[in-house]
Structures are given as C-alpha cells and as structure tokens.
C-alpha cells in the first residue's frame, strides 16, 4: 500500500513537473505557485536533490527588484486560468507574475534540503539562494509591517494562501466592487462550484487586484491605502520560523551582518505576536489593521505557534485545549476552520476542509515542543485521508472525501517527506 502510494506521489510530481518548476495540478492551477513550490521541493528531495534545489531556484527567478517573490509565476500563458497575466498588469519584472506574495516557506525548505545535501556544490547554491531569501524576508518586514509591529499583514486574501477563509469576510465587506465589471471565472469550470468561493468574494478579490494594479503594486501605497490590510497569524508564524531557519543558515555561511538583522526581526516578531492573541477566544486570530479589530474565529493557523518556535505555556496550554476540543469533533484533523464557528463549511475551500500542508506544519511544531501524541494524530489522520481519497487538494474533515483539484503536487510532496511509513524511522 505505502509503496504503491510512494510511487503514485512521485509520479504526480513528475507529471506536474513542467521542466524545472512544478504546477500544483493540471487545469485548475497551470502555473508555478510560490508556497506550493516550497513544499514540492521537500517531496523532490526524497528522490532527487538536484530537482529539489531547482524548484526553489526557479521560484526565486521571479523575484522583483524590491525583494518581493510573487505568488504566481506565469511562465507560459495558459488560457485555462483566470486571472492571468494581463489582469495583474505587472510590468518590467523578471517575468510575468501576480503582484503580491504568499507565505514564505522557501527558507525553511532550503534549510531542509541543505541538511540532506551538504556537498560543496550545494553550498554554492545555498549562498546564492540565501541572499535572495534574505531580501525577500526584508521585504516582508518592511512592506507588510511598515510600522514595525512584529506582525505581518496581507493585502489580499490570496496573499495569505488561505484564500477563502471566513476571517476575511468582515475585512473585505467594505471593498467597493462597483468597477470590477464582467469577467469569466475559470476555476468553477474545473471544480464543483460548491467547493469554491462565491461570486461576491470573487468580485472583492478582483477589486483588490485592480487596486494593486492601479497603484503599480507599490508597497507604500498598499500599506497606506489598500482597503484590505490584515495581520495574519499564518503569515507571521511561517515567516518567524523561516527567519529562524535563515538565521541557522546565516551562521553556517558566516554571514554575521545578516545574522544580526535576522535576530532583530525574530525578537520583534516574538513580542509582536501578542497583537494577534485574542484574549476572549484564548487563541491567535487575525487582526484587521484598518479597523483595529480582531477576528472572531479559530483557524488552522491558530495552531502554528509551535512551528514558529513559540513554546510559552500562556499560549500553548489554551491552544492544546482547543486542539483537543476540535479533535473530539472531527474524524480527520485539522479542519481549516473551527467546526464550532457558524461560518464553518466542511467542503468549501478554506472554510473547513483539511489541507495536508497545514497538517504538516502543525505536526512539525507539535513534535518540536514534545507533543508527540498530538503530532502522531495529525500524521495518522493525514495518512488515512490520502489512503482513502488519494492526493486531493483538500479533504472533508468528517467523511475524508477528497475535494478541489486532484493529483495535487503538495499533497504528494508531504506524503513523501512526512507521511509515508516507508520514511526512515525516527526522522522528523
Ligand atoms: C489555492 C490555495 C493556495 C495555493 C493555490 C495553488 O489558491 O488557496 O494556497 O497556493 O491554490 O495550490
């Protein structure tokens, strides 16, 4: 069974590999996506270190001069996807791309690959990637945290990578969609519309793209005037972890100045996360920087604190209580949104379904703070989901049914790197 799934996972990565870069799945997502590539590299690392390095290298080829690494690289035009390059209106960049970023998992992936491949050639590749990653992290700490609060904002739900999260409902409500005009969605022709965002949400997504395009994607204009600017726990925790991983690499490479800069960012974020702490819910939630209000729901990102190296009992004890409460309600952990919240929908995109990559990060963090049995539950559930429904984009937390796209790259990658029982015993 496992061997068969190992082969299937590898074959999905090979099929979705378009030559040095990998698409998430055919049809629905025909381009290179940012955090998808980072996870995908972990899967490749299990059978081709060369290909693992390459995946991150091709991702970084899209880096903008200001350091931003776009969430989509449009390497070849593909009419099956909307909104394509012309809608984004990003000009004069290394290649056609979207105009905002996505969670920076890449530095963490690079550290992982380097641990597996410390050859002299790998060290040279690491040096080049290190400079680019540092520049990208610096962009996050300035463009998306212009006040130096120690929390990272997103200017678009798509930037968060958790596109249709209920947490974005309130902050997107006041977005003016009157000039969006008519357009033809493509996602609902690939996937059942009940699993995808509704039209009103899509209008707001496009209005935000329009805002970015009209302001030339300028970080200052975005931070000052974008109608949507929300501090996100996933973005903040993922960057905090990635900063720590980059710091370890800085020390390895003797990059002292960079190490000092990274230490400053880490210290600032460690104290900044208190802004995301919701005293009423006893959990980390989003914080709307425009309205000054906190989100009213717990999402899978609320469980990423340990992944970010946070082990303070004041945060961790309530988090574990929420974990157990949710675990007792669902068959498969971790739903993307709290099943006790009224906005929860088990089959709709980021409003309830389980994502393997979130499970991977949550479990990694839990393991690192010694929560082995909860980490094991995450892994067992992920294994059961994939065994039942294959390498789907996401899964129903009650039935385990697969949803969204199929033959999905990052689900295959985390199978190879983390879930498969054929992985060497004892490895993280
Ligand atoms: C969806 C997800 C996003 C992901 C992309 C490609 O847009 O919300 O996180 O990167 O699909 O898999």
């Amino acid at each position: 069974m496992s061997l068969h799934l190992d082969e299937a996972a590898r074959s999905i990565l090979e099929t979705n590999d378009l030559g040095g870069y990998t698409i998430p799945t055919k049809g629905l997502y025909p381009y290179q996506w940012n955090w998808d590539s980072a996870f995908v590299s972990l899967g490749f690392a299990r059978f081709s270190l060369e290909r693992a390095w390459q995946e991150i290298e091709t991702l970084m080829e899209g880096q903008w001069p200001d350091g931003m690494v776009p969430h989509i690289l449009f390497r070849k035009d593909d009419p099956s996807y909307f909104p394509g390059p012309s809608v984004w209106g990003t000009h004069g960049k290394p290649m056609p791309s979207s105009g905002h970023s996505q969670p920076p998992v890449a530095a963490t992936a690079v550290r992982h690959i380097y641990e597996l491949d410390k050859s002299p050639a790998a060290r040279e590749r690491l040096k080049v990637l290190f400079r680019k990653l540092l520049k990208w992290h610096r962009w996050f700490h300035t463009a998306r945290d212009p006040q130096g609060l120690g929390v990272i904002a997103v200017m678009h739900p798509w930037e968060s990578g958790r596109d249709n999260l209920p947490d974005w409902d309130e902050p997107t409500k006041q977005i003016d969609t009157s000039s969006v005009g008519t357009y033809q969605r493509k996602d609902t022709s690939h996937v059942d519309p009940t699993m995808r965002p509704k039209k009103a949400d899509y209008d707001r997504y496009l209005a935000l793209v329009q805002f970015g395009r009209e302001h030339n994607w300028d970080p200052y204009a975005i931070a000052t005037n974008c109608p949507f600017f929300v501090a996100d726990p996933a973005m903040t925790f993922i960057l905090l972890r990635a900063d720590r991983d980059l710091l370890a690499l800085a020390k390895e490479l003797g990059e002292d100045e960079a190490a000092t800069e990274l230490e400053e960012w880490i210290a600032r974020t460690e104290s900044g996360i208190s802004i995301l702490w919701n005293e009423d819910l006893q959990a980390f939630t989003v914080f709307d920087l425009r309205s000054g209000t906190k989100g009213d729901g717990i999402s899978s990102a609320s469980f990423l604190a340990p992944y970010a190296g946070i082990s303070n009992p004041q945060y961790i004890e309530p988090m574990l209580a929420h974990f157990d409460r949710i675990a007792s309600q669902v068959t498969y952990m971790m739903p993307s949104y709290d099943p006790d919240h009224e906005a929860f929908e088990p089959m709709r995109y980021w409003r309830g379904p389980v994502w393997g990559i979130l499970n991977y990060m949550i479990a990694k963090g839990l393991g690192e703070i010694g929560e082995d049995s909860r980490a094991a539950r995450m892994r067992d559930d992920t294994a059961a989901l994939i065994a039942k429904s294959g390498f789907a984009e996401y899964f129903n937390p009650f039935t385990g049914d697969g949803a969204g796209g199929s033959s999905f790259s990052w689900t295959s990658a985390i199978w190879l790197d983390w879930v498969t029982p054929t992985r060497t015993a004892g490895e993280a």
Side-chain angles (χ1 to χ4, degrees):
M1 181 57 148
S2 309
L3 265 181
H4 163 70
L5 284 173
D6 286 359
E7 277 160 25
R10 179 173 169 161
S11 136
I12 288 171
L13 290 185
E14 286 170 345
T15 309
N16 289 341
D17 176 0
L18 296 196
Y21 75 98
T22 308
I23 58 170
T25 186
K26 288 228 158 75
L28 185 62
Y29 302 122
Y31 298 109
Q32 183 171 20
W33 257 260
N34 189 321
W35 69 333
D36 294 66
S37 272
F39 289 110
V40 157
S41 73
L42 304 177
F44 275 125
R46 293 291 150 198
F47 60 93
S48 167
L49 286 163
E50 169 56 33
R51 196 51 196 78
W53 283 111
Q54 234 179 33
E55 188 72 28
I56 307 286
E57 286 165 351
T58 55
L59 173 66
M60 299 310 288
E61 278 169 17
Q63 183 166 41
W64 287 14
D66 70 356
M68 199 277 282
V69 183
H71 101 292
I72 309 176
L73 301 182
F74 301 114
R75 287 174 178 276
K76 281 181 213 154
D77 213 4
D78 190 323
S80 69
Y81 183 81
F82 175 85
S86 61
V87 183
W88 290 91
T90 54
H91 303 290
K93 302 297 187 290
M95 70 179 78
S97 71
S98 65
H100 59 64
S101 202
Q102 237 188 355
V105 182
T108 300
V110 165
R111 182 179 181 194
H112 187 93
I113 299 165
Y114 183 66
E115 294 296 325
L116 298 171
D117 179 14
K118 289 198 168 175
S119 62
R123 196 180 164 86
E124 290 312 305
R125 292 174 104 156
L126 173 67
K127 280 188 195 159
V128 176
L129 285 175
F130 177 84
R131 301 306 319 168
K132 297 184 177 182
L133 290 164
L134 184 71
K135 194 169 172 192
W136 184 24
H137 288 205
R138 191 180 295 125
W139 175 86
F140 268 117
H141 285 289
T142 50
R144 296 298 190 252
D145 182 17
Q147 295 169 272
L149 298 173
V151 290
I152 305 300
V154 291
M155 64 80 59
H156 195 298
W158 292 342
E159 189 160 62
S160 76
R162 301 183 300 146
D163 307 13
N164 200 24
L165 195 73
D167 293 348
W168 315 135
D169 294 356
E170 204 47 48
T172 51
K173 260 194 192 138
Q174 84 300 354
I175 295 174
D176 177 8
T177 57
S178 57
S179 55
V180 164
T182 54
Y183 57 92
Q184 174 96 49
R185 278 173 75 168
K186 300 282 172 68
D187 59 324
T188 42
S189 65
H190 299 290
V191 170
D192 180 347
T194 62
M195 299 174 186
R196 297 290 305 178
K198 296 179 181 158
K199 164 139 177 39
D201 295 317
Y202 230 82
D203 286 351
R204 292 172 183 138
Y205 299 157
L206 291 176
L208 287 172
V209 171
Q210 207 166 27
F211 176 91
R213 191 178 63 221
E214 280 162 8
H215 292 84
N216 227 354
W217 301 102
D218 170 47
Y220 177 77
I222 287 169
T224 323
N225 290 321
C226 182
F228 181 89
F229 206 60
V230 183
D232 175 23
M235 200 55 127
T236 304
F237 287 139
I238 289 170
L239 182 61
L240 178 51
R241 185 187 184 110
D243 278 342
R244 293 190 203 279
D245 289 321
L246 212 50
L247 176 60
L249 294 172
K251 289 183 176 158
E252 168 81 21
L253 295 173
E255 294 271 5
D256 297 342
E257 231 173 273
T260 307
E261 191 175 11
L262 283 157
E263 277 160 359
E264 284 166 15
W265 294 336
I266 291 167
R268 193 204 292 169
T269 314
E270 280 175 341
S271 81
I273 58 165
S274 64
I275 296 172
L276 301 174
W277 183 250
N278 185 317
E279 205 48 48
D280 298 339
L281 293 183
Q282 289 290 298
F284 290 106
T285 62
V286 300
F287 178 67
D288 185 344
L289 291 157
R290 293 288 176 254
S291 67
T293 47
K294 291 190 176 170
D296 70 352
I298 293 171
S299 73
S300 46
S302 307
F303 300 90
L304 285 176
Y307 176 80
I310 304 295
S311 56
N312 181 339
Q314 173 208 345
Y315 296 137
I316 299 304
E317 279 168 19
M319 186 200 81
L320 295 177
H322 283 303
F323 183 100
D324 294 343
R325 174 178 59 79
I326 293 173
S328 70
Q329 292 179 50
V330 298
T331 316
Y332 304 97
M333 287 291 263
M334 169 62 84
S336 40
Y337 215 62
D338 189 341
D340 284 331
H341 194 282
E342 57 183 10
F344 174 80
E345 291 182 73
M347 277 306 248
R348 198 187 291 275
Y349 206 50
W350 293 109
R351 301 179 84 86
V354 178
W355 259 262
I357 48 133
L358 257 302
N359 280 8
Y360 169 82
M361 291 186 287
I362 293 168
K364 207 169 180 58
L366 287 170
E368 286 168 1
I369 58 164
E371 288 297 332
D372 293 340
S373 63
R374 290 181 177 95
R377 162 99 197 245
M378 299 296 295
R379 180 167 163 172
D380 293 348
D381 287 5
T382 313
L385 285 169
I386 293 173
K388 180 176 173 17
S389 299
F391 297 97
E393 182 179 5
Y394 46 97
F395 304 87
N396 184 313
F398 300 119
T399 64
D401 290 339
S406 56
S407 298
F408 225 81
S409 295
W410 66 14
T411 314
S412 310
I414 58 115
W415 170 270
L416 290 171
D417 183 55
W418 171 56
V419 189
T420 175
T422 59
R423 278 283 315 277
T424 321
E427 271 186 73

